[in-house]
Amino acid sequence: MENKLVYVVSDSIGETAELVVKAVASQFNGGGIEIRRTPYVETVEDIEDVIFQAKNNHSIIAYTIVIDKLKDYMDQRAADESIIAVDLLNPLMNAFIETFKKPPSKQPGLIRKLDHDYFRKVEAIEFAVKYDDARDPHGVLKADLVLIGVSRTSKTPLSMYLAHKGYKVANIPLVPEVTPPEELFKIPRFRCVGLVITPEKLNEIRKERLKSLGLMAQTNYARLERILEELDYANKMMKQIGCPIINVSNKAIEESANYIIEDLKIERRAD
């Protein structure tokens, strides 16, 4: 089936509109939707270009435009050409105006201003990259959180996700033949979280990983006996440290991160 197109148009970067479109598309199992983003729309000519493309491709336009002149032009031209153009911001913006009795700034890109939170996020991402996979164990002492677990328990993806929330995360792989860094035993146990997984799930993940690398799935890395040995070692280390443990077998990254933030209440260190 031919892909259906949605044009995402914004007077800023367009992240918000794209996320909303993806959320809706997910309700149709993806729906064969192709998203084409047009960011930083500044002129009516920019809008005309999108209108032309959308008309010729029988598409939907989803937009986040706060500049009144451009928004009005988009609405008018879409109506002229019988194109469905969905305004993703103004209905909620109008609700704010009506309820809170305060006018909006009508400035594009305010959410991305270089404020304290933005710089915290950038610093946290750089930290996660630098101290990923025990590259430098000294990061353990500087981290808001340290993730430990055997290979393929989502330590790196979870570290990066939490970094985008502003948390400085280091992660340490647990391998029976490798002594964990001594720094791991010097931090408060609540700043360390162990990630565990069922042997069957880990076996499946590792086999797929080997296949993607063009390697034999029967290597020691994916053997069930080796996996059981690693998991047993990891459990002993986690009990020794006394850290909380999350079973990630059937959890999305977002779910694990939310558990860490909301339930375990891991806090960022003071700047």
Side-chain angles (χ1 to χ4, degrees):
M1 181 183 293
E2 184 179 341
N3 270 8
K4 305 168 188 67
L5 293 175
V6 177
Y7 288 88
V8 167
V9 184
S10 178
D11 47 19
S12 183
I13 197 169
E15 281 181 332
T16 302
E18 183 169 353
L19 284 171
V20 173
V21 171
K22 286 180 176 178
V24 173
S26 71
Q27 297 301 313
F28 299 89
N29 294 322
I33 300 297
E34 179 182 345
I35 298 173
R36 296 184 183 176
R37 194 197 295 189
T38 303
Y40 303 115
V41 167
E42 297 178 341
T43 66
V44 295
E45 287 77 17
D46 293 333
I47 291 175
E48 279 296 336
D49 183 54
V50 175
I51 292 291
F52 176 79
Q53 294 179 60
K55 180 181 179 181
N56 287 335
N57 289 299
H58 190 61
S59 307
I60 294 172
I61 296 174
Y63 71 87
T64 52
I65 297 176
V66 297
I67 300 172
D68 287 333
K69 182 180 78 170
L70 295 178
K71 171 191 156 35
D72 293 343
Y73 191 84
M74 170 67 84
D75 290 339
Q76 184 59 56
R77 290 295 292 121
D80 292 344
E81 302 295 345
S82 299
I83 299 168
I84 295 177
V86 182
D87 181 349
L88 299 176
L89 286 185
N90 273 271
L92 185 57
M93 194 176 294
N94 290 334
F96 270 57
I97 294 169
E98 182 178 344
T99 304
F100 305 128
K101 311 301 181 186
K102 185 177 179 181
S105 299
K106 294 295 182 76
Q107 295 179 42
L110 287 181
I111 197 171
R112 299 183 63 80
K113 279 211 166 184
L114 302 184
D115 57 11
H116 175 74
D117 289 338
Y118 176 84
F119 285 114
R120 178 194 288 274
K121 181 171 76 170
V122 171
E123 187 178 356
I125 292 170
E126 291 175 346
F127 187 95
V129 172
K130 182 177 181 180
Y131 298 112
D132 180 47
D133 207 29
R135 289 178 185 170
D136 182 352
H138 292 97
V140 170
L141 301 176
K142 306 173 186 176
D144 298 321
L145 175 68
V146 180
L147 300 176
I148 59 174
V150 302
S151 174
R152 312 313 293 179
T153 48
S154 301
K155 296 186 299 299
T156 296
L158 184 53
S159 295
M160 294 306 300
Y161 186 92
L162 288 166
H164 277 83
K165 299 289 185 181
Y167 291 84
K168 293 180 180 178
V169 184
N171 72 77
I172 304 292
L174 297 179
V175 184
E177 294 79 14
V178 180
T179 302
E182 61 182 21
E183 289 86 353
L184 195 55
F185 301 93
K186 295 180 180 179
I187 60 172
R189 63 182 183 179
F190 65 84
R191 289 205 177 276
C192 180
V193 172
L195 305 180
V196 298
I197 190 171
T198 63
E200 296 76 17
K201 184 69 174 178
L202 185 56
N203 180 248
E204 177 186 332
I205 291 171
R206 287 189 175 183
K207 283 182 177 180
E208 288 301 317
R209 175 60 175 165
L210 289 172
K211 286 180 184 178
S212 70
L213 296 173
L215 301 174
M216 297 291 291
Q218 290 79 24
T219 63
N220 192 46
Y221 179 70
R223 281 195 313 110
L224 190 58
E225 292 82 1
R226 171 62 182 181
I227 287 172
L228 290 170
E229 178 188 354
E230 289 185 35
L231 290 175
D232 182 61
Y233 172 76
N235 279 320
K236 288 177 181 177
M237 293 306 307
M238 291 172 193
K239 287 180 181 178
Q240 184 177 341
I241 294 167
C243 63
I245 296 172
I246 301 175
N247 190 319
V248 299
S249 302
N250 297 300
K251 281 187 172 65
I253 297 298
E254 297 85 349
E255 189 178 356
S256 297
N258 186 66
Y259 179 80
I260 288 169
I261 295 170
E262 299 296 333
D263 291 31
L264 298 182
K265 302 187 185 303
I266 301 296
E267 297 181 353
R268 303 180 186 92
R269 291 173 177 270
D271 291 339

